[in-house]
Amino acid sequence: MMSDITSKQTVLWKQYIETRSSVIREKLILEYSPLVKYVAGRLSIYFGNNVDYEDLLSYGIFGLIDAIDKFDLSKGVKFETYASLRIRGAIIDNIRKLDWVPRTLRQKNKEIEKAFTELEAKLGRPPLDSEIAGQLGISIDDFHKIINDLNVSHLISLDEFLEQNYEMNVEFFNDNQLGNPTTYIESNEIKSILASAIDKLSDKEKTVITLYYFEELTLKEISAIMKVSESRISQLHSKAVTRLRSKLGKHKSILYEE
């Protein structure tokens, strides 16, 4: 992510607040354009070759402009934090308009999770893609096509959950929640289940999850490190998330809106 606000940015913000000048506004857009590239680069892992990166950038710019127009310095919130949410929201809103998620996709996702769970219990190990496809009675190519489509479904589901449960400037856990023994125990249980599930992923899936969620790298950066195509990284990500969802069982509603 970008660093804290610079002296140049401070001057620009003061000038913009005082004048609402379109010229200053353009300078702020240019100053924060790397943030759009970062957010778009992060979200592109969900789309593979289905959506052009340039389109994600275009959608993100509208989010940045909206953030600049609505940002309130007196709130004490970092602009980058606020703008990142606006940029992300603008990109996802436009993806929604493209109708990327067919109504049948969530049902297919549940069928894949069920097949994965049943096969793992039967085989005593994580099943291969070919084994899951066989269990579902579909070809391996069709299975991979569904996996690629599910990436978008995962993104939309997570975004809906965040919209419904969190305000823009409220921390994910407040002091009352942290002091709740039930919340604390459940949180630790989820962490334990998730850690165990990640450990059982394939080496490549584990690497993608680590680089994306823990190192916070973009799709392009992960592709360069692992020396495989961006679409392959996107596919590995979707497979890993699907496997993790099946492992979380009753806790999935905490991470995704069903």
Side-chain angles (χ1 to χ4, degrees):
M1 290 290 289
M2 296 169 63
S3 60
D4 290 342
I5 191 167
T6 65
S7 57
K8 177 183 178 182
Q9 292 165 348
T10 301
V11 171
L12 286 174
W13 274 116
K14 288 181 178 178
Q15 291 176 339
Y16 184 62
I17 291 170
E18 291 172 358
T19 66
R20 289 291 164 176
S21 163
S22 59
V23 174
I24 303 300
R25 185 173 180 245
E26 288 296 322
K27 290 182 179 179
L28 281 170
I29 291 171
L30 289 174
E31 186 70 21
Y32 288 104
S33 60
L35 185 59
V36 177
K37 294 178 181 178
Y38 175 79
V39 175
R42 293 274 292 157
L43 291 182
S44 61
I45 198 170
Y46 291 93
F47 307 116
N49 293 326
N50 293 321
V51 183
D52 287 339
Y53 175 66
E54 295 299 323
D55 288 337
L56 298 182
L57 290 178
S58 298
Y59 303 149
I61 284 293
F62 288 111
L64 175 60
I65 293 171
D66 184 51
I68 290 172
D69 288 343
K70 295 179 179 178
F71 185 58
D72 186 349
L73 275 173
S74 66
K75 295 288 186 181
V77 177
K78 284 179 61 177
F79 176 73
E80 289 183 17
T81 301
Y82 177 77
S84 292
L85 292 171
R86 290 285 179 181
I87 293 166
R88 186 179 190 279
I91 291 174
I92 294 174
D93 282 347
N94 279 277
I95 294 300
R96 278 201 186 99
K97 292 174 185 176
L98 297 176
D99 197 24
W100 273 103
V101 188
R103 292 182 179 181
T104 58
L105 197 54
R106 287 189 180 181
Q107 181 58 39
K108 290 179 180 178
N109 185 45
K110 290 178 181 178
E111 291 173 1
I112 289 177
E113 289 181 14
K114 181 181 178 183
F116 176 84
T117 301
E118 291 176 349
L119 283 171
E120 186 174 48
K122 177 182 177 181
L123 300 171
R125 60 167 173 77
L128 302 174
D129 290 359
S130 57
E131 293 170 332
I132 299 175
Q135 177 84 348
L136 295 170
I138 60 177
S139 70
I140 191 67
D141 288 340
D142 285 342
F143 173 73
H144 287 156
K145 174 65 168 59
I146 294 172
I147 286 295
N148 286 335
D149 291 342
L150 284 177
N151 243 346
V152 184
S153 176
H154 292 157
L155 174 64
I156 300 299
S157 295
L158 179 58
D159 186 67
E160 288 172 351
F161 173 73
L162 292 175
E163 284 182 353
Q164 292 168 10
N165 289 275
Y166 300 121
E167 296 296 330
M168 292 292 285
N169 58 354
V170 175
E171 294 294 331
F172 282 3
F173 297 101
N174 58 35
D175 291 338
N176 291 332
Q177 287 176 307
L178 291 174
N180 186 325
T182 302
T183 301
Y184 179 79
I185 292 171
E186 187 170 56
S187 176
N188 281 342
E189 182 182 355
I190 294 170
K191 288 178 182 178
S192 177
I193 294 171
L194 194 55
S196 176
I198 290 174
D199 191 53
K200 291 180 181 178
L201 295 174
S202 71
D203 288 342
K204 288 183 178 179
E205 289 169 354
K206 195 183 302 182
T207 299
V208 169
I209 292 297
T210 299
L211 293 177
Y212 186 76
Y213 291 101
F214 297 96
E215 299 298 328
E216 298 190 348
L217 300 185
T218 64
L219 174 62
K220 186 175 182 179
E221 291 168 336
I222 297 172
S223 174
I225 290 173
M226 295 184 67
K227 294 181 171 57
V228 296
S229 69
E230 293 183 11
S231 60
R232 176 57 177 157
I233 296 298
S234 182
Q235 185 183 85
L236 287 167
H237 171 265
S238 186
K239 284 168 57 181
V241 170
T242 300
R243 292 174 189 269
L244 294 176
R245 281 170 60 96
S246 70
K247 284 288 189 180
L248 284 169
K250 66 185 178 71
H251 299 293
K252 284 188 295 184
S253 62
I254 296 174
L255 300 182
Y256 297 97
E257 180 72 9
E258 293 291 350

